Amino acid sequence: MTLWSPFLVRTSDIDNSLTKLYLDKADESWTSEVETFDFVIISAGQWFFRPALYYEKGQIVGCHKCERRKIKDLSYYYGYRKAFRTALRTIASLEGYRGVTFLRTFSPAHFENAEWNKGGSCERTRPYSKEQMRFDGYIFETYKTQVEEFRTARKVARKRGLKFLMMDTTEIMLRRPDGHPNNHVWHAVNQNVTHSDCVHWCLPGPIDTWNEFLFHMLKMHSKKSFVS
């Protein structure tokens, strides 16, 4: 089952350009479903770059790129950290949950020469070499934020006898700029503009690697045998 919750926490839209994130309230669209699951794989990433207002205890505590007076810009790292903290600890506290929880780490985009809406593209046809790859900047900071919250939540989960595991896929996904469909799929609504899609994995290679990795991780931690 795939449960759609790109921010992991409760949200409400002000308009198409700004979203309210209730950082201390997990999204019921997934928490109401997973209590009886054997495995839960949790991930989130690119949506947090969007402008957002941050709420905690029902009050605005700051924002990310909201450009509103008297509201402090806390950066998206703040919202990202708090959302994962809430999501992971919610799973650990579900009364009937006895499953295995996996965090799949951040999968970076591969835009080059410009941002996604300013002509950025992903036209590479080969993986990065070790010399070309840069696991730093916002990619590393986003990854580090996830890992720190995961390690803290894992300690809480262990006290309940729950298993929290990490699918550390950030670096291997970063190596594959050749796996995107480039500018042949995404046309902006009501605009004569075509954007490159340098985020989603739509070509063979990276996604095959991910599926194989997932299969073996689940097989390792399953009490039942898998049939491939």
Side-chain angles (χ1 to χ4, degrees):
M1 179 186 291
T2 299
L3 299 170
W4 174 246
S5 180
F7 294 105
L8 304 177
V9 295
R10 291 183 191 173
T11 66
S12 62
D13 288 335
I14 296 176
D15 52 42
N16 291 331
S17 62
L18 190 61
T19 301
K20 294 181 180 179
L21 301 188
Y22 301 90
L23 298 175
D24 53 353
K25 304 291 184 182
D27 184 356
E28 294 91 342
S29 69
W30 66 266
T31 60
S32 63
E33 299 283 350
V34 303
E35 196 160 359
T36 60
F37 284 17
D38 296 316
F39 300 102
V40 172
I41 302 171
I42 189 169
S43 66
Q46 306 292 338
W47 284 73
F48 283 86
F49 297 128
R50 298 186 176 201
L53 293 173
Y54 296 150
Y55 284 75
E56 294 180 73
K57 297 181 179 180
Q59 302 294 320
I60 294 178
V61 296
C63 73
H64 170 57
K65 291 185 176 180
C66 65
E67 298 180 352
R68 295 195 175 190
R69 293 183 179 181
K70 299 182 180 179
I71 299 181
K72 185 178 181 181
D73 193 324
L74 296 174
S75 87
Y76 88 92
Y77 295 117
Y78 182 91
Y80 197 62
R81 179 179 296 279
K82 288 297 185 77
F84 270 97
R85 181 176 300 177
T86 295
L88 291 168
R89 294 189 181 187
T90 295
I91 293 175
S93 66
L94 290 174
E95 186 174 345
Y97 181 62
R98 295 294 181 269
V100 180
T101 304
F102 294 89
L103 168 68
R104 194 218 67 176
T105 60
F106 176 68
S107 187
H110 289 96
F111 291 100
E112 294 187 81
N113 303 315
E115 297 178 21
W116 70 272
N117 58 347
K118 297 180 181 178
S121 62
C122 42
E123 301 175 3
R124 292 180 182 263
T125 58
R126 294 177 179 271
Y128 285 140
S129 65
K130 289 183 178 181
E131 292 73 26
Q132 291 173 314
M133 196 183 76
R134 295 290 183 268
F135 188 12
D136 55 15
Y138 85 91
I139 296 173
F140 177 75
E141 289 300 321
T142 302
Y143 167 80
K144 185 178 76 169
T145 298
Q146 277 186 314
V147 172
E148 289 173 351
E149 290 305 316
F150 170 80
R151 288 174 175 169
T152 301
R154 183 173 57 186
K155 294 178 182 178
V156 176
R158 282 175 174 169
K159 294 178 181 179
R160 287 198 55 216
L162 296 175
K163 186 177 290 187
F164 273 35
L165 302 169
M166 186 166 60
M167 292 182 176
D168 195 345
T169 59
T170 301
E171 185 172 351
I172 61 174
M173 291 293 98
L174 177 59
R175 289 178 179 268
R176 298 305 302 271
D178 56 314
H180 308 285
N182 199 14
N183 59 358
H184 302 293
V185 290
W186 182 22
H187 296 268
V189 177
N190 299 322
Q191 298 180 32
N192 187 24
V193 178
T194 301
H195 293 303
S196 299
D197 186 348
C198 304
V199 177
H200 299 96
W201 302 98
C202 300
L203 298 178
I207 195 65
D208 292 336
T209 301
W210 155 247
N211 285 334
E212 188 72 14
F213 182 37
L214 173 61
F215 173 81
H216 285 291
M217 287 288 285
L218 294 178
K219 186 176 181 181
M220 285 171 56
H221 297 281
S222 175
K223 295 179 182 179
K224 300 177 181 179
S225 62
F226 276 73
V227 177
S228 60

